[in-house]
Amino acid sequence: MKDIYILGIESSCDETSAAIVKNGREEIATIISSQIEIHKDYGGVVPEIASREHVKHISIVLEECLEKAHMSMDDIDAIAITYGPGLIGSLLVGLEAAKTLSFVYNKPLIPIHHIAGHIYANSLVKEMKFPLLAVVVSGGHTELIEMKDHYKFEKLGGTLDDAIGECYDKVARVMDLEYPGGPKVDKLALKGKNTYKLPIPLRDDSYNFSFSGLKSAVINLVHNEEQRGNEINKEDLASSFQTVAVTSIINKVKKAIVERNIKYVIVAGGVAANHGLRTAMEELTKELNVELSIPPMKYCTDNATMIAAAGYYAYKDGRKADLTLNSKSQDTLK
Ligand code: KG4
Ligand code: ZN
């Protein structure tokens, strides 16, 4: 069978990235230009700055990617592009680049939902087995997705308000930790104890999550202690917050595994790097005798490798777009 080479392009938030993947499983080359240092000064991603930075970097990133792969556009079978969800101005930069390449080189254009990308990051390390449960935890998403086959997604539930990563970043902010604060809270949590009482959100019968109440509870706790002149033990607060956040996710994952008869679980998105969540997922899947896969960090945070990997399966599924394809800041994974 002929090898299929997909060029992936990702620009949905603050990473400009291009990658080439062979047959959906083998990374040939990846280039990522991150804007974290720029947005740090503002305590979060500033959409207008993000899109301007993408404009500056997209051509260079694409050129470097082809160069690194020792390939030209003639060697590429199709172009996979994140069309959404994400920051609209940022998405448009990648999309226009992808459309231009598709038009000039006469290559099929494959629209990729960003979450499909996070899920397919897994196929770069392990073959996916079905029925699988994808636990998608990132700065913008907290979702449980069931897949019965390649490119057959069923959303079981998701966050009703803040995403888990967003909650981590806001909690970090009130603790005076630099953006993105998630990894810093995680690091502190490892040294602390679960001493502060915080509520476990949404203990209901759904597969949904809610993190805004937990975020407010931490912010209120910090402000109240400050007003009383008490010093916060940051390590203990991080540990208490992490315990509750992770428990809330694990409870719903457990329910999904049991009720949906899941045999294979993958964790995807930036928060998959979290030590508390990784440990809890390992324990849970061991207890329920289910296989677990968590891709290495470089595939968990935003990158075009995962978009190119998803692109292969979308290509096989016949999912092509024409040049009228538009970006969407929000869209359901289908
Ligand atoms: O997947 P990602 O790179 O971007 C989105 O698509 O949103 O995820 C970034 C998010 C940020 O909120 C960051 O704070 C969080 O992932 N994150 C973590 C950890 N590492 C990254 N949150 C908790 N613990 C970590 N170790
Ligand atoms: Zn992402």
Side-chain angles (χ1 to χ4, degrees), residues 10 12-13 114-115 118 138-141 269-270 300-303 306:
E10 156 67 37
S12 66
C13 191
H114 184 75
I115 296 297
H118 274 305
S138 75
H141 303 272
C300 281
T301 48
D302 288 352
N303 63 82
M306 66 185 196

Side-chain angles (χ1 to χ4, degrees), residues 253 257 264-265 278 280-293:
V253 170
I257 294 175
Y264 189 72
V265 179
R278 286 179 102 101
M281 284 297 304
E282 276 157 16
E283 284 168 4
L284 177 71
T285 46
K286 204 169 163 201
E287 174 199 325
L288 299 178
N289 198 20
V290 169
E291 197 176 330
L292 172 70
S293 168

Side-chain angles (χ1 to χ4, degrees), residues 3-10 17-24 26-31 58-69 71-82 94-103 105 107-112 303-315:
D3 290 326
I4 304 284
Y5 291 90
I6 305 281
L7 169 66
I9 302 176
E10 156 67 37
S17 180
I20 297 167
V21 168
K22 181 178 160 187
N23 299 331
E26 195 184 319
E27 176 183 3
I28 304 295
T30 300
I31 302 289
I58 188 80
S59 308
I60 303 164
V61 163
L62 280 160
E63 255 174 56
E64 277 184 11
C65 178
L66 286 163
E67 214 169 278
K68 193 172 174 189
M71 292 172 93
S72 76
M73 279 308 292
D74 294 336
D75 305 312
I76 300 296
D77 292 281
I79 301 158
I81 174 67
T82 309
L95 182 73
E96 288 311 316
K99 280 192 196 176
T100 308
L101 288 174
S102 162
F103 178 69
Y105 294 98
K107 304 286 175 186
L109 187 64
I110 308 172
I112 304 295
N303 63 82
T305 336
M306 66 185 196
I307 302 302
Y312 171 79
Y313 295 96
Y315 180 71

Side-chain angles (χ1 to χ4, degrees), residues 12-13 15 114 118 137-141 165-166 168-169 179-183 186 242 269-271 273-275 297 300-302:
S12 66
C13 191
E15 265 93 26
H114 184 75
H118 274 305
V137 279
S138 75
H141 303 272
E166 188 185 351
Y168 260 95
D169 293 339
Y179 175 82
D186 184 16
Q242 182 143 302
V271 186
N274 186 270
H275 290 86
M297 248 339 265
C300 281
T301 48
D302 288 352

